[in-house]
Amino acid sequence: MNKPILTLLCITSAIFFIQTAHAVEQGDIIPDCKLNSLSEAKTTTLKQFQGKVLYIDFWASWCGPCAKSFPFLNTLHDGLKGDDFQIIGINLDENPTDAQDFLAKYPASFSVVSDVQEQCAKQFAVQAMPSSYLVDRKGIIRHIHLGFRADEAGELKVLVEKLVAGH
């Protein structure tokens, strides 16, 4: 099967993957989800990051565009760490081993957590893989981005830098 068709199938399946009545929208306050660490039995919540600019990225090991987004996310994280900025990669794989195998191939320099039961994904009404939410320091969603293409990285970086700078 060729890559464009496989990518389209992944995105289409992700749209039907999670059914909810209302998707979060730009201008909404982010839901406060409980998430699990991939490596430890430790729980975290999105509320813990209030006061920071957040780039929340929902991903799965089977998602081709997700693999392409990780180098960009690592560069973004490494360039802005220490600037009240946090990237949170939220994995949606049912099997934690799938996520760990993915991370062995595509390491993350940013925080990665798990949403195995898809509670957080349902609250966000994730519609594609990856789905990214840029959130200001007050917890308000300022930008939603579905999918990932390398030619979009520059625009996403500018949006993040503006929020970090307080614009």
Side-chain angles (χ1 to χ4, degrees), residues 93-161:
D93 285 307
E94 291 178 18
N95 183 349
T97 305
D98 293 339
Q100 291 164 347
D101 291 346
F102 177 95
L103 290 170
K105 290 181 196 171
Y106 309 101
S109 62
F110 51 91
S111 299
V112 176
V113 294
S114 176
D115 185 27
V116 173
Q117 298 179 342
E118 302 160 13
Q119 167 262 342
C120 192
K122 288 176 185 172
Q123 288 181 286
F124 274 84
V126 171
Q127 298 176 24
M129 284 291 141
S131 284
S132 302
Y133 301 82
L134 186 55
V135 181
D136 70 15
R137 289 180 175 87
K138 295 178 183 176
I140 299 170
I141 297 170
R142 295 299 177 192
H143 182 75
I144 299 171
H145 190 82
L146 305 179
F148 181 82
R149 292 190 338 255
D151 63 344
E152 300 166 332
E155 178 186 336
L156 291 169
K157 183 179 181 217
V158 168
L159 290 169
V160 170
E161 289 172 338

Side-chain angles (χ1 to χ4, degrees), residues 58-91:
F58 288 90
W59 65 278
S61 64
W62 48 263
C63 167
C66 297
K68 293 178 181 178
S69 73
F70 269 54
F72 162 70
L73 294 174
N74 285 331
T75 300
L76 190 62
H77 172 264
D78 295 345
L80 292 173
K81 64 183 169 189
D83 284 335
D84 293 333
F85 174 67
Q86 180 79 40
I87 296 175
I88 304 166
I90 302 176
N91 177 260

Side-chain angles (χ1 to χ4, degrees), residues 11-104:
I11 291 171
T12 303
S13 65
I15 291 170
F16 296 108
F17 178 67
I18 298 166
Q19 302 285 325
T20 84
H22 172 57
V24 293
E25 297 175 355
Q26 191 170 320
D28 289 350
I29 294 180
I30 59 168
D32 189 28
C33 306
K34 289 185 182 177
L35 302 157
N36 298 312
S37 169
L38 281 176
S39 57
E40 319 167 5
K42 186 172 148 183
T43 302
T44 188
T45 66
L46 291 179
K47 191 173 268 189
Q48 288 177 238
F49 300 101
Q50 192 163 4
K52 290 187 174 193
V53 171
L54 299 179
Y55 189 111
I56 300 169
D57 186 68
F58 288 90
W59 65 278
S61 64
W62 48 263
C63 167
C66 297
K68 293 178 181 178
S69 73
F70 269 54
F72 162 70
L73 294 174
N74 285 331
T75 300
L76 190 62
H77 172 264
D78 295 345
L80 292 173
K81 64 183 169 189
D83 284 335
D84 293 333
F85 174 67
Q86 180 79 40
I87 296 175
I88 304 166
I90 302 176
N91 177 260
L92 298 178
D93 285 307
E94 291 178 18
N95 183 349
T97 305
D98 293 339
Q100 291 164 347
D101 291 346
F102 177 95
L103 290 170

